Amino acid sequence: MVYAYANIIVTAPESLAAYKEKAGDALSKHGGRVVQATPQQTVLEGTRSEMGLGAILEFETAEAAKSWINDPELAEVHALRRGAGKSTVTLMA
């Protein structure tokens, strides 16, 4: 298994709500799932200038995660996430 960390600094809650409706199906298309998602994040060491809604995503392989983020059929779904605010997705593999 590999994991990705997604963080969204939400500025458009309506876009985030629309994203949440479609995100699960988009992830499962590539064998992914949300392990944990929360706006309650605590920095244990170091500093971060911004924190938002954080999520840990799980995929079977790094290739599956890359397929999810690059799937042209999911461009509209990813656009909703990006439209919700500042979005960062980091692959941990």
Side-chain angles (χ1 to χ4, degrees), residues 38-60:
T38 182
Q40 306 301 319
Q41 299 181 61
T42 302
V43 175
L44 297 177
E45 184 175 6
T47 60
R48 287 183 56 188
S49 60
E50 295 180 289
M51 264 194 270
L53 174 63
I56 302 295
L57 311 175
E58 180 183 72
F59 295 90
E60 290 187 25

Side-chain angles (χ1 to χ4, degrees), residues 45-83:
E45 184 175 6
T47 60
R48 287 183 56 188
S49 60
E50 295 180 289
M51 264 194 270
L53 174 63
I56 302 295
L57 311 175
E58 180 183 72
F59 295 90
E60 290 187 25
T61 64
E63 292 73 26
K66 291 174 185 176
S67 293
W68 163 74
I69 202 74
N70 293 313
D71 187 336
E73 293 179 8
L74 299 178
E76 181 182 308
V77 176
H78 294 305
L80 288 170
R81 185 189 68 252
R82 293 178 190 120

Side-chain angles (χ1 to χ4, degrees), residues 8-17 19 79-86:
I8 305 171
I9 309 301
V10 180
T11 56
E14 66 284 348
S15 186
L16 181 63
Y19 173 70
L80 288 170
R81 185 189 68 252
R82 293 178 190 120
K86 182 180 174 187

